[in-house]
Amino acid sequence: MSQRLLKEYKEAAQSKMKEKDIRLTCQENLYKWTAILQGPSGTPFEGGTFHVQLDVQENYPLQAPKARFITRIFHPNIHFKTGEVCLDILKTAWTPAWTLQSVCRAIVALLSNAEADSPLNCDAGNLLRNNDVRGYNSMARMYTKLYASTPARD
Amino acid sequence: MEKSATGQDTAPPCRFFIQGRCNAGRACRFSHDPRYLQQKDVLGKAPCKFFQTGGCVAGDACPYAHFIVKKKKPAASKPAPVAFIPKPTEGYAVHAKASLRSDELEGCSAYKNTLGDAEDDLTYETESFLIGITDDDETNTLEAGSSLPDGFSYAAFARRGLNDAEIDASSIVAGSQDLLTDEDLAKRRLLREQIMASTSKECGICMETVVGKQSQFGLLEGCDHIFCLSCIREWRSVNILEKNVKRSCPLCRCVSFYVIPSSFFPRNQEEKDSVVASYRERLQKIPCKHFNFGAGECPFGTSCFYEHRYRDGTLQQAGMPRLRVTEDGELAAIGKLKLSDVLGL
């Protein structure tokens, strides 16, 4: 299946220009990818640069890649310490039609649409569940400033 | 190796020897005559036998070299092992005769034998008739020598697991043009069109072109997305996922209960229906392993694709489950009740 990874690598290199908010890179090992995501505008993550590590499994694309945030982020569905991402398509709803690029797109979408009912980060989840959007936004913005404000090197 | 009375090699050529990998060596009962050896291109790639007849669908993805083999008989003066006498043989003469006999084949690029004045000058394009021979060593060389219509190699598709419902395999091997009816030819032409139209189709899982990968298409019952048979089967056999997830199409999540193998991708519903029908028809001729002629029990019941025939030759009848009245006065099924019994499928 490394044929497919090679193809995705080529496509990632091509789409670098098109999609400014997602930069998918891979050095030496096709099974270890790093995605550099820009926080979507209109969210408390705006202006932040988030590094996500994607570990591709051996039987990819039959099994989902493992995604982990390296940059700390305050988000109900992302573990604050380990960076683990709770996203259905990375677990039960995975299908081989997803690519690494589309997984990144899904993660960016998750940043703007948090699902507070299945939280990995209970503090963030509780704030949202109690409708304290202002509190959640300010916390998230603070952590974005604190950990994710170094712009990606080019 | 068979030898004629004169010690000459009359056996048909060994197909493994031609590929340079016959394990039988001198014990092989097919000919190891060096004049059958292939030429190779600069990269050491063996020539593509389908390219010889102008019909390799793999294009650039083909692992074999695309050039026309022109083979000259080795000069008689060259020393050679005794077993491989590089002399014109009985079998050789037969080929020559075959080419003369089948006048109707003239002009067909697949079979251009030119007969020189002396045997040593005999030049011919080997691969074209080898295609015929290597596919069935039992076929005699006369039959094998005759060519396929339109310079197109159907042997390629036969080897890729093309089912006999689509092309009658025996007619490929026999291959003789006089044996082919117009209907057969039309069928082949249609199939070629269908395969050619599918060449650019990309599998949604491995993202390679299915035809270029030398794979079959795996059609889904519920939707029209494109997958390799091997890819979609592999995905559906993943154990870690729930049944409903893996039974659904990776692209649209439409649930399909079975996958239909096909050598081409149907262009419309009509073609798909005919592929499905011929696939089911074919399976219905195979006895079900679970049913085991009535000795076992098939979990798929009467909706099973395979044949449920008892040893005495009668088919299992779909119908109401047999019921009996229990001591409490209630109805109970005799034997296990299957979902298909209740739904009447």
Side-chain angles (χ1 to χ4, degrees):
Chain A
M1 283 299 178
S2 60
Q3 273 293 324
R4 165 161 163 164
L5 279 174
L6 215 57
K7 206 161 186 181
E8 286 196 34
Y9 180 78
K10 278 180 204 150
E11 260 161 42
Q14 280 172 2
S15 67
K16 224 178 227 174
M17 293 293 123
K18 274 186 253 163
E19 287 187 74
K20 286 253 158 64
D21 55 339
I22 298 169
R23 282 227 340 260
L24 204 51
T25 55
C26 160
Q27 263 125 22
E28 288 171 16
N29 188 347
L30 267 180
Y31 290 88
K32 289 219 182 299
W33 294 63
T34 314
I36 301 165
L37 311 178
Q38 302 297 328
S41 54
T43 68
F45 308 105
E46 189 177 349
T49 307
F50 300 92
H51 290 239
V52 179
Q53 186 183 313
L54 292 165
D55 284 339
V56 180
Q57 307 298 298
E58 212 158 275
N59 56 353
Y60 178 84
L62 300 180
Q63 210 180 331
K66 286 206 166 94
R68 201 170 67 83
F69 268 78
I70 301 192
T71 313
R72 274 215 175 160
I73 182 167
F74 186 79
H75 185 282
N77 306 112
I78 296 159
H79 199 284
F80 191 64
K81 283 195 177 134
T82 63
E84 191 194 330
V85 184
C86 177
L87 191 55
D88 61 344
I89 61 141
L90 292 177
K91 300 199 164 72
T92 53
W94 167 259
T95 84
W98 289 91
T99 61
L100 294 174
Q101 188 83 25
S102 60
V103 163
C104 290
R105 233 172 279 146
I107 292 174
V108 172
L110 181 72
L111 291 187
S112 33
N113 299 293
E115 182 55 67
D117 288 330
S118 59
L120 269 178
N121 183 339
C122 292
D123 297 333
N126 283 339
L127 281 174
L128 272 186
R129 271 203 275 191
N130 295 318
N131 288 325
D132 189 358
V133 178
R134 205 174 144 206
Y136 165 75
N137 279 351
S138 56
M139 282 286 273
R141 202 173 295 123
M142 184 193 84
Y143 278 113
T144 304
K145 274 233 169 85
L146 205 58
Y147 294 114
S149 56
T150 22
R153 283 171 287 120
D154 248 317
Chain B
M1 196 185 289
E2 285 174 43
K3 297 269 172 95
S4 69
T6 52
Q8 285 167 336
D9 184 0
T10 56
C14 169
R15 68 169 113 169
F16 302 110
F17 175 70
I18 287 160
Q19 293 158 12
R21 56 186 182 92
C22 181
N23 293 330
R26 293 183 128 190
C28 183
R29 62 194 188 91
F30 296 102
S31 167
H32 281 197
D33 197 314
R35 69 188 151 87
Y36 293 126
L37 275 179
Q38 293 174 330
Q39 291 175 358
K40 291 187 173 173
D41 81 338
V42 278
L43 295 171
K45 279 200 271 185
C48 170
K49 64 165 97 173
F50 307 124
F51 186 75
Q52 308 303 316
T53 51
C56 182
V57 289
D60 291 340
C62 181
Y64 295 96
H66 280 181
F67 67 90
I68 299 283
V69 175
K70 279 218 167 127
K71 193 173 173 192
K72 270 202 172 132
K73 235 176 65 65
S77 59
K78 254 189 195 169
V82 187
F84 311 145
I85 303 164
K87 266 189 174 177
T89 61
E90 289 291 321
Y92 204 58
V94 170
H95 292 310
K97 266 185 231 153
S99 78
L100 290 175
R101 250 186 75 258
S102 40
D103 295 346
E104 69 272 14
L105 295 176
E106 261 185 359
C108 177
S109 66
Y111 196 74
K112 267 189 228 150
N113 279 9
T114 44
L115 200 59
D117 47 351
E119 297 115 326
D120 277 5
D121 295 333
L122 200 57
T123 313
Y124 57 95
E125 294 175 18
T126 28
E127 278 297 282
S128 53
F129 79 79
L130 288 178
I131 290 170
I133 295 173
T134 51
D135 271 315
D136 187 356
D137 295 316
E138 305 304 321
T139 327
N140 83 38
T141 45
L142 272 176
E143 278 179 349
S146 38
S147 172
L148 296 164
D150 303 344
F152 193 73
S153 169
Y154 292 94
F157 302 120
R159 180 157 309 142
R160 294 219 324 259
L162 195 69
N163 47 68
D164 40 14
E166 283 163 291
I167 274 195
D168 187 6
S170 62
S171 75
I172 302 170
V173 176
S176 179
Q177 199 151 24
D178 0 308
L179 294 180
L180 288 173
T181 61
D182 285 350
E183 202 183 320
D184 290 336
L185 289 175
K187 229 190 248 176
R188 289 181 177 192
R189 211 162 288 135
L190 176 69
L191 181 66
R192 186 177 70 169
E193 263 173 40
Q194 285 167 328
I195 294 176
M196 284 305 178
S198 322
T199 44
S200 63
K201 299 271 190 270
E202 236 175 45
C203 168
I205 296 177
C206 64
M207 297 184 177
E208 290 172 61
T209 54
V210 180
V211 176
K213 217 179 130 191
Q214 304 261 311
S215 177
Q216 277 183 288
F217 288 93
L219 311 180
L220 289 179
E221 172 202 359
C223 64
D224 291 324
H225 289 112
I226 303 158
F227 302 104
C228 303
L229 183 63
S230 50
C231 288
I232 190 75
R233 284 219 169 127
E234 207 175 335
W235 163 243
R236 288 168 77 93
S237 62
V238 171
N239 290 323
I240 46 171
L241 291 161
E242 279 176 49
K243 268 187 183 170
N244 274 343
V245 174
K246 61 185 187 185
R247 273 185 188 161
S248 60
C249 166
L251 285 156
C252 67
R253 296 192 195 276
C254 171
V255 175
S256 295
F257 292 101
Y258 53 91
V259 178
I260 307 115
S262 168
S263 50
F264 63 91
F265 195 79
R267 290 168 288 186
N268 49 43
Q269 192 61 36
E270 236 168 71
E271 282 188 359
K272 186 173 173 183
D273 288 345
S274 82
V275 170
V276 177
S278 73
Y279 175 61
R280 293 194 63 159
E281 199 178 292
R282 211 161 54 252
L283 291 193
Q284 259 164 24
K285 290 177 189 156
I286 305 169
C288 175
K289 276 184 196 161
H290 296 294
F291 189 69
N292 193 13
F293 301 103
E297 197 162 312
C298 176
F300 305 101
T302 48
S303 55
C304 181
F305 280 9
Y306 292 92
E307 187 185 52
H308 283 191
R309 195 182 283 281
Y310 293 102
R311 282 221 189 276
D312 59 7
T314 54
L315 275 173
Q316 187 194 27
Q317 292 298 314
M320 285 300 290
R322 286 177 64 197
L323 301 172
R324 67 187 170 93
V325 183
T326 61
E327 288 165 6
D328 314 329
E330 301 214 349
L331 282 176
I334 298 173
K336 260 188 201 159
L337 202 61
K338 294 177 200 89
L339 188 63
S340 58
D341 294 332
V342 184
L343 296 176
L345 293 168

